[in-house]
Amino acid sequence: MTAESQLTRLGLFDARVPRYTSYPTAPHFNSSTGPEDFRNWINAIPEGSRISLYLHVPFCRRLCWFCACRTQGTASDEPVRAYVEVLKAELRLLQAELPAGVTLSRLHWGGGTPTLLAPDLMRDLARTVFDVVPMGYGAEFSVEIDPNEIDDARLDALAEAGMNRASIGVQDFDPDIQKAIGRDQSFEVTKLAADKLRARGIRSLNADILFGLPNQTRARISDSVQKLLSLGPDRVALYGYAHVPWMARRQVMIPSDSLPRPEERLRLFETARDLFVADGYDEIGIDHFALPTDGLAIAAREGRLRRNFQGYTDDLAPALIGLGASSISRFPQGYAQNAPSTSAHTKAIREGRFSTAKGHAFAGQDKLRARMIEALMCDFRIDSAEMRASFAVSDAELQEMYALAAREFGGMVTVDAAGLAIPEKGRPLTRMIARCFDAYDLSKAGHSPAV
């Protein structure tokens, strides 16, 4: 039996499973978690500790058809300026609740398109952030960069504010594919943005590229990856495009018959992966690649790799606070998500209250199962000794949970006294194997193809 036929037999090409950037996954959040929980969880952060902060800017000049993020189009700066004032007010609410001496481990501006902010807005927002919570030693300040929506003045503003890592969305360089997904972005424009970033001392560069796009072939993705490699990114996220027009209505612009079949999606991924590895990148988890000198690769080698809503990270801060409409926060006590609509979020902040609309307070085995799933997604193994030391669980209980995965996936997992591991041949099934440790109703959680 070939490797592909084994994966077919185990359901890889038919399954729709969570990406497991959280556990439980966001569809399981509910309205029993509200602003008072969010406030209490902030108050419980230890004095002098480090946190991560995410600021969501939900505006774009153009709405790309492939994107399933919560964004809205705007042709003028007026709503953006009003929204920045709301973010500043939200930061002041946070400042009133944060314990003394807290500093930043990571600051990330995402979207949407945060680079559509005018230079004065960038400087003003950064000043407000650092007035509320300063950067700690070795902290990272990253921003999502749209090469079509950036210029020298805005790059100067970001560099002066302290940005030291930039993330460029590439998706694919092929003009026909770009036309099919509503995203015109030439290699030349992207290279110019990368060059200008490096000229301003931004030495850490991330890039996102997609497989599974309409009309994508192995030859086309090879060409795009080789062009991306010529830019020398420090780390790359190779995400699978999820066609979910029932959730992201703009995706109806992409005809489903132009999408590659599930088996071809795997070949597209493998083609891109082989090129990254051949160029000296370390393979990180299920869909990231990093130069051996990058912090992500070092964390993976040292067993410190973690996973959150932004994907893989080397950030170990126990609290990630999300500000802005729809942002999600993670605390040791649970998750909290802001009101998804800009209007509802704005109304709450202007009334002097946090906009937390839903979330999840950890209970039962949530933390144990969250760590088991994270360990699989990061390291392809669960260490029984770590689980016993960190959680109230016996070896017999762990072995019982492992047995479920072993029964379902046979030789694609190995189980022994040390724990459970996924050998290389089983790694395309990682998200499906992780699902075996998910105690929630899976009918609510599956959003994207397993490969």
Side-chain angles (χ1 to χ4, degrees):
M1 183 182 292
T2 66
E4 190 171 297
S5 62
Q6 280 186 296
L7 296 174
T8 301
R9 178 180 60 81
L10 292 168
L12 176 67
F13 303 119
D14 300 318
R16 301 187 70 82
V17 289
R19 295 187 186 274
Y20 286 118
T21 53
S22 73
Y23 179 83
T25 56
H28 296 289
F29 294 177
N30 59 73
S31 59
S32 63
T33 298
E36 195 59 30
D37 298 292
F38 185 67
R39 176 179 285 105
N40 291 338
W41 293 346
I42 293 171
N43 294 160
I45 294 170
E47 290 188 2
S49 62
R50 305 184 78 178
I51 64 169
S52 294
L53 192 63
Y54 171 78
L55 271 61
H56 186 61
V57 180
F59 296 97
C60 295
R61 296 292 183 209
R62 60 205 168 100
L63 296 177
C64 304
W65 302 337
F66 73 91
C67 181
C69 296
R70 188 169 284 278
T71 59
Q72 59 196 76
T74 181
S76 73
D77 282 348
E78 185 177 346
V80 180
R81 288 187 174 276
Y83 182 79
V84 169
E85 289 303 313
V86 174
L87 278 178
K88 289 164 59 182
E90 190 177 8
L91 280 159
R92 294 304 181 193
L93 289 177
L94 174 65
Q95 184 177 36
E97 303 297 337
L98 269 179
V102 172
T103 59
L104 283 175
S105 171
R106 299 287 187 276
L107 170 64
H108 184 71
W109 293 3
T113 309
T115 51
L116 59 67
L117 269 62
D120 65 304
L121 290 180
M122 291 176 170
R123 291 188 176 94
D124 192 19
L125 183 57
R127 277 194 300 268
T128 305
V129 169
F130 300 136
D131 281 347
V132 171
V133 53
M135 296 279 274
Y137 176 77
E140 285 187 0
F141 173 14
S142 59
V143 179
E144 292 178 16
I145 306 289
D146 181 349
N148 287 312
E149 190 62 51
I150 196 67
D151 54 26
D152 287 336
R154 285 178 283 184
L155 284 170
D156 287 341
L158 289 172
E160 290 165 13
M163 178 183 72
N164 51 19
R165 183 178 288 278
S167 182
I168 295 180
V170 170
Q171 321 323 332
D172 194 287
F173 285 121
D174 186 278
D176 290 338
I177 294 175
Q178 290 183 357
K179 184 177 180 181
I181 63 174
R183 170 87 171 200
D184 293 324
Q185 180 182 314
S186 70
F187 170 72
E188 290 73 22
V189 165
T190 307
K191 183 179 187 304
L192 182 61
D195 290 345
K196 288 185 172 185
L197 285 162
R198 295 201 187 280
R200 286 164 173 79
I202 312 303
R203 296 302 173 199
S204 298
L205 185 63
N206 301 358
D208 296 345
I209 191 167
L210 294 177
F211 68 93
L213 291 172
N215 308 316
Q216 202 173 43
T217 63
R218 279 173 278 179
R220 283 177 161 178
I221 200 170
S222 293
D223 183 64
S224 288
V225 169
Q226 288 165 345
K227 286 177 177 174
L228 177 58
L229 287 169
S230 73
L231 304 181
D234 297 85
R235 63 179 72 160
V236 178
L238 175 62
Y239 293 129
Y241 167 64
H243 191 60
V244 288
W246 56 90
M247 292 176 56
R249 282 183 285 180
R250 70 191 76 163
Q251 290 186 355
V252 299
M253 301 294 291
I254 299 175
S256 57
D257 60 4
S258 68
L259 298 171
R261 294 179 299 108
E263 294 84 355
E264 184 60 21
R265 283 174 62 95
L266 177 61
R267 295 169 201 147
L268 291 167
F269 172 83
E270 290 174 339
T271 297
R273 178 195 61 196
D274 291 348
L275 288 169
F276 287 122
V277 172
D279 212 55
Y281 285 75
D282 288 354
E283 195 168 357
I284 309 295
I286 64 169
D287 54 18
H288 278 53
F289 301 85
L291 293 175
T293 53
D294 184 80
L296 207 62
I298 295 169
R301 290 196 297 272
E302 295 179 353
R304 296 184 291 104
L305 190 65
R306 294 295 183 265
R307 190 162 173 83
N308 62 23
F309 291 103
Q310 295 164 40
Y312 289 104
T313 180
D314 55 352
D315 179 30
L316 297 179
L320 165 62
I321 299 177
L323 302 182
S326 79
S327 285
I328 299 176
S329 301
R330 186 194 189 282
F331 297 92
Q333 299 89 345
Y335 298 104
Q337 183 169 17
N338 288 347
S341 75
T342 305
S343 58
H345 175 72
T346 297
K347 181 177 185 293
I349 300 302
R350 286 178 175 168
E351 291 174 354
R353 55 188 174 84
F354 293 114
S355 81
T356 312
K358 58 183 178 179
H360 178 87
F362 293 138
Q365 290 188 324
D366 283 347
K367 288 187 177 182
L368 166 65
R369 290 178 179 272
R371 178 59 193 139
M372 294 173 85
I373 288 172
E374 182 181 53
L376 285 177
M377 298 291 290
C378 293
D379 306 317
F380 304 109
R381 63 186 297 271
I382 299 172
D383 185 324
S384 291
E386 178 198 343
M387 299 305 140
R388 291 194 303 270
S390 302
F391 307 98
V393 62
S394 68
D395 191 62
E397 290 173 299
L398 289 171
Q399 291 295 327
E400 185 177 343
M401 286 190 270
Y402 300 157
L404 174 62
R407 284 195 301 270
E408 189 164 341
F409 293 100
M412 297 298 184
V413 298
T414 62
V415 177
D416 56 26
L420 179 143
I422 306 175
E424 185 135 358
K425 65 179 180 180
R427 291 181 183 174
L429 297 159
T430 297
R431 286 163 58 203
M432 295 176 66
I433 295 168
R435 187 177 61 180
C436 294
F437 299 90
D438 189 333
Y440 288 86
D441 178 5
L442 298 179
S443 67
K444 293 183 179 180
H447 294 308
S448 58
V451 64

